[in-house]
Amino acid sequence: MRKNIVKDKSFGFALRIIQLYKFLVDEKKEYIMSKQLLRSGTAIGAMVRESEHAESKADFIHKLSIGLKEANETEYWLELLYESAYIDGEQFTSNSNALKEILRLLVSIIKSSKQQ
């Protein structure tokens, strides 16, 4: 059985986001943006998981496209948290780099699925 890289990476990213959420709530007492980050950052992997049992190719593409939208939203929240000084450069860069890798994978999968 082939390893599902985007599934593994999006799950690992969700775990990172949960840890960042805990930090933001416990240490920074930030509750609004952190909740949005938690929701969108964990939704990426959820949509990847849903795509595994898609009813059709169109459904597969649709579910991954929603995951891509959630990833884009997550990128927004990370940037906003960084620019507002809730997270430092290291936290931002580390999470942003992991997210960009997932974004590239999702775009690639969606494009190749549309061409088949």
Side-chain angles (χ1 to χ4, degrees), residues 3-73:
K3 192 155 178 70
N4 188 331
I5 294 170
V6 72
K7 177 181 172 181
D8 294 344
K9 289 194 180 289
S10 60
F11 185 80
F13 183 75
L15 292 173
R16 291 175 68 137
I17 290 299
I18 291 167
Q19 291 304 312
L20 183 55
Y21 170 77
K22 288 179 184 178
F23 165 78
L24 288 165
V25 169
D26 295 343
E27 302 293 323
K28 299 290 187 169
K29 306 298 184 215
E30 199 302 305
Y31 303 100
I32 307 301
M33 291 182 289
S34 59
K35 188 71 166 191
Q36 292 293 104
L37 176 72
L38 178 67
R39 189 202 55 74
S40 65
T42 57
I44 302 164
M47 294 313 301
V48 169
R49 288 282 177 102
E50 280 193 44
S51 75
E52 289 183 310
H53 299 284
E55 297 173 6
S56 65
K57 185 169 126 177
D59 188 37
F60 174 78
I61 292 167
H62 178 70
K63 287 183 180 358
L64 287 184
S65 295
I66 293 171
L68 181 60
K69 289 177 183 181
E70 295 292 348
N72 281 319
E73 181 181 341

Coordinates of all heavy atoms in Angstrom, one line a residue, residues 3-73:
K3 N 2.2 5.0 0.6 CA 2.1 6.0 1.7 C 1.4 7.3 1.2 O 1.7 7.7 0.1 CB 3.5 6.3 2.2 CG 3.5 7.0 3.5 CD 4.8 6.8 4.2 CE 5.0 7.5 5.5 NZ 4.1 7.1 6.5
N4 N 0.5 7.8 2.0 CA -0.3 9.0 1.6 C 0.4 10.2 2.3 O 0.1 10.5 3.4 CB -1.7 8.8 2.0 CG -2.6 10.0 1.5 OD1 -2.1 11.1 1.3 ND2 -3.9 9.7 1.3
I5 N 1.3 10.8 1.5 CA 2.1 11.9 2.1 C 1.2 13.1 2.5 O 1.4 13.6 3.6 CB 3.2 12.4 1.1 CG1 4.1 11.2 0.8 CG2 3.9 13.6 1.5 CD1 5.1 11.5 -0.3
V6 N 0.3 13.5 1.7 CA -0.6 14.7 2.1 C -1.4 14.3 3.3 O -1.6 15.2 4.2 CB -1.4 15.2 0.9 CG1 -2.6 14.2 0.6 CG2 -1.9 16.6 1.2
K7 N -1.8 13.1 3.5 CA -2.6 12.7 4.6 C -1.7 12.8 5.9 O -2.1 13.4 6.9 CB -3.1 11.3 4.4 CG -3.8 10.7 5.6 CD -4.3 9.3 5.3 CE -4.8 8.6 6.5 NZ -5.2 7.2 6.2
D8 N -0.5 12.3 5.8 CA 0.4 12.3 6.9 C 0.8 13.7 7.3 O 0.8 14.1 8.5 CB 1.7 11.4 6.6 CG 1.4 10.0 6.5 OD1 0.3 9.5 6.9 OD2 2.2 9.3 5.9
K9 N 1.1 14.5 6.3 CA 1.6 15.9 6.6 C 0.5 16.7 7.1 O 0.7 17.6 8.0 CB 2.2 16.5 5.3 CG 3.6 15.9 5.0 CD 4.3 16.6 4.0 CE 5.7 16.0 3.7 NZ 6.6 16.1 4.7
S10 N -0.7 16.6 6.6 CA -1.8 17.4 7.1 C -2.2 17.0 8.5 O -2.6 17.8 9.3 CB -3.0 17.3 6.2 OG -3.5 16.0 6.0
F11 N -2.1 15.7 8.9 CA -2.3 15.3 10.2 C -1.3 15.8 11.2 O -1.6 16.4 12.2 CB -2.4 13.7 10.3 CG -2.8 13.2 11.7 CD1 -4.1 13.2 12.0 CD2 -1.8 12.8 12.5 CE1 -4.5 12.7 13.3 CE2 -2.2 12.3 13.8 CZ -3.5 12.3 14.2
G12 N 0.0 15.7 10.8 CA 1.1 16.3 11.6 C 0.9 17.8 11.7 O 1.2 18.3 12.8
F13 N 0.5 18.4 10.7 CA 0.3 19.9 10.8 C -0.9 20.2 11.7 O -0.8 21.2 12.5 CB 0.0 20.5 9.4 CG -0.2 22.0 9.4 CD1 0.9 22.8 9.5 CD2 -1.4 22.5 9.3 CE1 0.8 24.2 9.5 CE2 -1.6 23.9 9.3 CZ -0.5 24.7 9.4
A14 N -1.9 19.4 11.7 CA -3.0 19.6 12.6 C -2.6 19.5 14.1 O -2.9 20.3 15.0 CB -4.2 18.6 12.4
L15 N -1.7 18.6 14.4 CA -1.1 18.4 15.7 C -0.3 19.7 16.1 O -0.4 20.1 17.2 CB -0.3 17.2 15.8 CG -1.0 15.8 15.7 CD1 0.0 14.7 15.7 CD2 -2.0 15.7 16.9
R16 N 0.4 20.2 15.2 CA 1.2 21.4 15.4 C 0.3 22.6 15.7 O 0.6 23.4 16.6 CB 2.1 21.8 14.2 CG 3.2 20.9 13.9 CD 3.9 21.2 12.6 NE 4.5 22.5 12.8 CZ 5.7 22.8 12.4 NH1 6.4 21.9 11.7 NH2 6.3 24.0 12.6
I17 N -0.8 22.7 15.0 CA -1.8 23.8 15.2 C -2.4 23.7 16.5 O -2.6 24.7 17.2 CB -2.8 23.8 14.0 CG1 -2.1 24.2 12.7 CG2 -4.0 24.7 14.3 CD1 -1.5 25.7 12.7
I18 N -2.7 22.5 16.9 CA -3.3 22.3 18.3 C -2.3 22.8 19.4 O -2.7 23.4 20.3 CB -3.7 20.8 18.5 CG1 -4.9 20.4 17.6 CG2 -4.0 20.5 20.0 CD1 -5.1 18.9 17.5
Q19 N -1.1 22.4 19.2 CA -0.1 22.9 20.2 C 0.1 24.4 20.1 O 0.2 25.1 21.2 CB 1.3 22.3 19.9 CG 1.4 20.8 20.2 CD 1.0 20.5 21.6 OE1 1.4 21.1 22.6 NE2 0.1 19.5 21.8
L20 N 0.0 25.0 19.0 CA 0.1 26.5 18.8 C -1.2 27.1 19.5 O -1.1 28.1 20.2 CB 0.2 26.9 17.4 CG 0.4 28.4 17.1 CD1 1.5 29.0 17.9 CD2 0.6 28.6 15.6
Y21 N -2.3 26.5 19.3 CA -3.5 27.0 19.9 C -3.4 27.0 21.4 O -3.8 28.0 22.1 CB -4.7 26.1 19.4 CG -6.0 26.4 20.2 CD1 -6.8 27.5 19.9 CD2 -6.4 25.5 21.2 CE1 -7.9 27.8 20.6 CE2 -7.6 25.8 21.9 CZ -8.3 26.9 21.6 OH -9.5 27.2 22.3
K22 N -2.9 25.9 21.9 CA -2.8 25.8 23.4 C -1.8 26.9 23.9 O -2.1 27.5 24.9 CB -2.2 24.4 23.8 CG -3.2 23.3 23.7 CD -2.5 22.0 24.0 CE -3.4 20.8 23.8 NZ -2.7 19.6 24.2
F23 N -0.7 27.1 23.2 CA 0.2 28.2 23.5 C -0.5 29.6 23.5 O -0.4 30.4 24.5 CB 1.4 28.2 22.6 CG 2.2 29.4 22.6 CD1 3.1 29.6 23.7 CD2 2.1 30.4 21.7 CE1 3.9 30.8 23.7 CE2 2.9 31.6 21.7 CZ 3.8 31.8 22.7
L24 N -1.2 29.8 22.5 CA -1.9 31.1 22.3 C -2.9 31.4 23.4 O -3.0 32.5 24.0 CB -2.5 31.2 21.0 CG -1.6 31.4 19.8 CD1 -2.3 31.2 18.5 CD2 -0.9 32.8 19.8
V25 N -3.7 30.3 23.8 CA -4.7 30.5 24.8 C -4.0 30.6 26.2 O -4.3 31.5 27.0 CB -5.7 29.3 24.7 CG1 -6.6 29.3 25.9 CG2 -6.5 29.4 23.5
D26 N -3.1 29.6 26.5 CA -2.5 29.6 27.8 C -1.5 30.7 28.1 O -1.6 31.3 29.2 CB -1.8 28.2 28.0 CG -2.8 27.0 28.0 OD1 -4.0 27.3 28.2 OD2 -2.3 25.9 27.9
E27 N -0.7 31.0 27.2 CA 0.4 31.9 27.4 C 0.1 33.4 27.0 O 0.4 34.3 27.6 CB 1.7 31.5 26.6 CG 2.2 30.1 27.0 CD 2.7 30.1 28.4 OE1 3.3 31.0 28.9 OE2 2.5 29.0 29.1
K28 N -0.6 33.5 25.9 CA -0.9 34.8 25.3 C -2.3 35.3 25.6 O -2.6 36.5 25.3 CB -0.7 34.8 23.8 CG 0.8 34.5 23.4 CD 1.7 35.6 23.7 CE 3.1 35.4 23.2 NZ 3.9 36.5 23.3
K29 N -3.1 34.4 26.1 CA -4.5 34.8 26.4 C -5.3 35.3 25.2 O -6.0 36.3 25.3 CB -4.6 35.8 27.6 CG -3.9 35.3 28.8 CD -4.5 34.0 29.4 CE -3.7 33.7 30.7 NZ -3.6 32.2 30.9
E30 N -5.0 34.7 24.1 CA -5.6 35.1 22.8 C -6.6 34.0 22.5 O -6.3 32.9 22.3 CB -4.5 35.2 21.7 CG -5.0 36.0 20.5 CD -6.2 35.5 19.8 OE1 -6.2 34.4 19.4 OE2 -7.2 36.3 19.7
Y31 N -7.9 34.4 22.3 CA -8.9 33.4 22.2 C -9.7 33.4 20.8 O -10.2 32.4 20.4 CB -10.0 33.6 23.3 CG -9.4 33.5 24.7 CD1 -9.1 34.6 25.4 CD2 -9.0 32.3 25.2 CE1 -8.5 34.6 26.6 CE2 -8.5 32.2 26.5 CZ -8.2 33.3 27.2 OH -7.6 33.2 28.4
I32 N -9.7 34.5 20.1 CA -10.5 34.7 18.9 C -9.7 34.2 17.7 O -10.1 33.2 17.0 CB -10.9 36.1 18.7 CG1 -11.6 36.7 19.9 CG2 -11.8 36.3 17.4 CD1 -12.9 35.9 20.4
M33 N -8.6 34.8 17.4 CA -7.8 34.4 16.2 C -7.3 32.9 16.4 O -7.2 32.2 15.4 CB -6.6 35.3 16.0 CG -7.0 36.7 15.5 SD -5.6 37.8 15.2 CE -5.0 38.1 16.8
S34 N -6.9 32.6 17.6 CA -6.4 31.2 17.9 C -7.5 30.2 17.6 O -7.2 29.1 17.0 CB -5.9 31.1 19.3 OG -7.0 31.3 20.2
K35 N -8.7 30.5 17.9 CA -9.9 29.5 17.6 C -10.1 29.4 16.1 O -10.3 28.3 15.6 CB -11.1 30.1 18.2 CG -12.3 29.1 18.2 CD -12.0 27.9 19.1 CE -13.3 27.1 19.3 NZ -13.2 26.2 20.3
Q36 N -9.9 30.5 15.4 CA -10.0 30.5 13.9 C -8.9 29.6 13.3 O -9.1 28.9 12.4 CB -10.0 31.9 13.3 CG -11.2 32.7 13.7 CD -12.5 32.2 13.0 OE1 -13.3 31.5 13.6 NE2 -12.6 32.4 11.7
L37 N -7.7 29.8 13.8 CA -6.5 29.1 13.4 C -6.7 27.6 13.6 O -6.5 26.8 12.8 CB -5.3 29.6 14.1 CG -4.0 28.8 13.8 CD1 -3.5 29.1 12.4 CD2 -2.9 29.2 14.8
L38 N -7.2 27.3 14.8 CA -7.5 25.9 15.2 C -8.5 25.2 14.2 O -8.3 24.1 13.7 CB -8.0 25.8 16.6 CG -8.4 24.4 17.1 CD1 -7.1 23.5 17.2 CD2 -9.1 24.5 18.5
R39 N -9.6 26.0 13.9 CA -10.6 25.4 13.1 C -10.1 25.2 11.7 O -10.2 24.1 11.1 CB -11.8 26.4 13.0 CG -13.0 25.9 12.3 CD -13.9 27.0 11.8 NE -13.3 27.9 11.0 CZ -12.9 27.7 9.7 NH1 -13.1 26.5 9.1 NH2 -12.3 28.6 9.0
S40 N -9.5 26.2 11.1 CA -9.0 26.1 9.7 C -7.8 25.1 9.6 O -7.7 24.4 8.6 CB -8.7 27.4 9.1 OG -7.6 28.1 9.7
G41 N -6.9 25.2 10.5 CA -5.7 24.4 10.5 C -5.9 22.9 10.6 O -5.2 22.1 10.1
T42 N -7.0 22.5 11.4 CA -7.3 21.1 11.5 C -8.3 20.7 10.4 O -8.3 19.5 10.2 CB -7.9 20.8 12.9 OG1 -9.0 21.7 13.1 CG2 -6.9 21.1 14.0
A43 N -9.0 21.6 9.8 CA -9.9 21.2 8.8 C -9.2 20.7 7.5 O -9.8 19.9 6.7 CB -10.8 22.4 8.4
I44 N -8.0 21.1 7.3 CA -7.2 20.7 6.1 C -7.1 19.2 6.1 O -7.5 18.5 5.1 CB -5.8 21.3 6.1 CG1 -5.8 22.8 6.1 CG2 -5.0 20.8 4.9 CD1 -4.5 23.5 6.5
G45 N -6.6 18.6 7.2 CA -6.5 17.1 7.3 C -7.8 16.4 7.2 O -7.9 15.3 6.7
A46 N -8.8 17.1 7.8 CA -10.2 16.5 7.8 C -10.7 16.3 6.4 O -11.3 15.3 6.0 CB -11.1 17.3 8.6
M47 N -10.4 17.3 5.6 CA -10.9 17.3 4.2 C -10.1 16.3 3.3 O -10.6 15.6 2.5 CB -10.8 18.7 3.5 CG -11.8 19.7 4.1 SD -13.5 19.1 4.4 CE -14.0 18.7 2.7
V48 N -8.8 16.2 3.7 CA -8.0 15.2 3.0 C -8.5 13.8 3.3 O -8.6 12.9 2.4 CB -6.5 15.3 3.4 CG1 -5.7 14.1 2.9 CG2 -5.9 16.6 2.9
R49 N -8.9 13.6 4.6 CA -9.4 12.3 5.0 C -10.8 12.0 4.3 O -11.0 10.9 3.8 CB -9.6 12.2 6.5 CG -8.4 12.1 7.3 CD -7.9 10.7 7.3 NE -6.6 10.6 8.0 CZ -6.5 10.1 9.2 NH1 -7.5 9.6 9.9 NH2 -5.3 10.0 9.8
E50 N -11.6 13.0 4.2 CA -12.9 12.9 3.5 C -12.7 12.5 2.1 O -13.4 11.7 1.5 CB -13.7 14.2 3.6 CG -14.4 14.3 4.9 CD -15.5 15.4 4.9 OE1 -16.3 15.4 3.9 OE2 -15.6 16.2 5.8
S51 N -11.6 13.1 1.4 CA -11.4 12.8 0.0 C -11.0 11.4 -0.2 O -11.2 10.9 -1.4 CB -10.3 13.7 -0.5 OG -9.0 13.3 -0.1
E52 N -10.5 10.7 0.8 CA -10.2 9.3 0.6 C -11.4 8.4 0.2 O -11.2 7.4 -0.4 CB -9.5 8.7 1.9 CG -8.1 9.2 2.1 CD -7.5 8.6 3.4 OE1 -8.2 8.5 4.4 OE2 -6.4 8.1 3.2
H53 N -12.5 8.8 0.7 CA -13.7 8.1 0.4 C -14.7 8.9 -0.4 O -16.0 8.8 -0.3 CB -14.4 7.6 1.7 CG -13.5 6.7 2.5 ND1 -13.2 5.4 2.2 CD2 -12.7 7.0 3.6 CE1 -12.4 4.9 3.0 NE2 -12.0 5.8 3.9
A54 N -14.2 9.6 -1.3 CA -15.0 10.4 -2.2 C -15.9 9.5 -3.1 O -15.5 8.4 -3.4 CB -14.2 11.3 -3.1
E55 N -17.1 10.0 -3.4 CA -18.0 9.3 -4.2 C -17.7 9.3 -5.7 O -18.1 8.4 -6.5 CB -19.4 9.8 -4.0 CG -19.9 9.6 -2.6 CD -21.2 10.3 -2.3 OE1 -21.8 10.8 -3.2 OE2 -21.6 10.3 -1.1
S56 N -16.9 10.2 -6.1 CA -16.5 10.4 -7.6 C -15.2 11.2 -7.6 O -14.8 11.8 -6.7 CB -17.6 11.1 -8.3 OG -17.8 12.4 -7.9
K57 N -14.7 11.3 -8.9 CA -13.5 12.1 -9.1 C -13.8 13.5 -8.8 O -13.0 14.3 -8.2 CB -13.0 11.9 -10.5 CG -11.7 12.6 -10.8 CD -11.2 12.2 -12.1 CE -10.9 13.3 -13.0 NZ -10.4 13.0 -14.3
A58 N -15.0 14.0 -9.2 CA -15.4 15.4 -9.0 C -15.5 15.6 -7.5 O -15.1 16.7 -7.0 CB -16.7 15.7 -9.7
D59 N -16.1 14.7 -6.7 CA -16.2 14.8 -5.3 C -14.8 14.9 -4.6 O -14.5 15.6 -3.7 CB -17.0 13.7 -4.7 CG -17.4 13.8 -3.3 OD1 -17.6 15.0 -2.8 OD2 -17.4 12.8 -2.5
F60 N -13.9 14.0 -5.1 CA -12.5 14.0 -4.6 C -11.8 15.4 -4.8 O -11.3 15.9 -3.9 CB -11.7 12.9 -5.4 CG -10.3 12.9 -5.1 CD1 -9.8 12.3 -3.9 CD2 -9.3 13.4 -6.0 CE1 -8.4 12.2 -3.7 CE2 -8.0 13.4 -5.7 CZ -7.5 12.8 -4.5
I61 N -12.0 15.9 -6.0 CA -11.4 17.2 -6.3 C -12.0 18.3 -5.4 O -11.4 19.2 -4.9 CB -11.5 17.6 -7.8 CG1 -10.6 16.6 -8.6 CG2 -11.2 19.0 -8.1 CD1 -10.9 16.6 -10.1
H62 N -13.4 18.2 -5.3 CA -14.1 19.2 -4.5 C -13.6 19.2 -3.0 O -13.4 20.2 -2.4 CB -15.6 18.9 -4.5 CG -16.4 19.8 -3.7 ND1 -16.6 21.2 -4.0 CD2 -17.1 19.6 -2.6 CE1 -17.3 21.7 -3.1 NE2 -17.7 20.8 -2.2
K63 N -13.5 18.0 -2.4 CA -13.0 17.9 -1.0 C -11.6 18.4 -0.9 O -11.3 19.2 0.1 CB -13.2 16.5 -0.6 CG -14.6 16.1 -0.3 CD -14.8 14.7 0.2 CE -16.2 14.2 0.5 NZ -17.3 15.1 0.2
L64 N -10.7 18.1 -1.8 CA -9.4 18.6 -1.7 C -9.3 20.1 -1.9 O -8.5 20.8 -1.3 CB -8.4 17.9 -2.7 CG -8.1 16.5 -2.3 CD1 -7.1 15.9 -3.3 CD2 -7.5 16.4 -0.9
S65 N -10.2 20.6 -2.8 CA -10.3 22.1 -3.0 C -10.7 22.8 -1.7 O -10.3 23.9 -1.5 CB -11.2 22.4 -4.2 OG -10.7 21.9 -5.4
I66 N -11.6 22.2 -1.0 CA -12.1 22.8 0.3 C -10.9 22.8 1.2 O -10.6 23.8 1.9 CB -13.3 22.1 0.9 CG1 -14.5 22.3 0.0 CG2 -13.5 22.5 2.3 CD1 -15.7 21.4 0.4
G67 N -10.1 21.7 1.3 CA -8.9 21.6 2.1 C -7.9 22.7 1.7 O -7.3 23.3 2.5
L68 N -7.8 23.0 0.4 CA -6.9 24.0 -0.1 C -7.4 25.4 0.4 O -6.6 26.2 0.8 CB -6.9 24.0 -1.6 CG -6.0 25.0 -2.3 CD1 -4.5 24.8 -1.9 CD2 -6.1 24.9 -3.8
K69 N -8.7 25.6 0.4 CA -9.2 26.9 0.9 C -8.9 27.0 2.4 O -8.6 28.1 2.9 CB -10.7 26.9 0.6 CG -11.1 27.1 -0.8 CD -12.6 27.1 -1.0 CE -13.0 27.2 -2.4 NZ -14.4 27.3 -2.6
E70 N -9.1 25.9 3.1 CA -8.8 26.0 4.6 C -7.3 26.3 4.8 O -7.0 27.0 5.7 CB -9.2 24.6 5.2 CG -10.7 24.3 5.2 CD -11.5 25.3 6.1 OE1 -11.0 26.0 6.9 OE2 -12.7 25.2 5.9
A71 N -6.5 25.7 4.0 CA -5.0 26.0 4.1 C -4.7 27.4 3.8 O -3.9 28.0 4.5 CB -4.2 25.1 3.1
N72 N -5.4 28.0 2.8 CA -5.2 29.4 2.5 C -5.6 30.3 3.7 O -5.0 31.3 4.1 CB -5.9 29.8 1.2 CG -5.1 29.4 0.0 OD1 -3.9 29.6 -0.1 ND2 -5.9 29.0 -1.0
E73 N -6.8 29.9 4.3 CA -7.3 30.7 5.4 C -6.3 30.5 6.6 O -6.0 31.5 7.3 CB -8.6 30.1 5.9 CG -9.2 30.9 7.1 CD -10.5 30.4 7.5 OE1 -11.3 29.7 6.8 OE2 -10.9 30.8 8.7

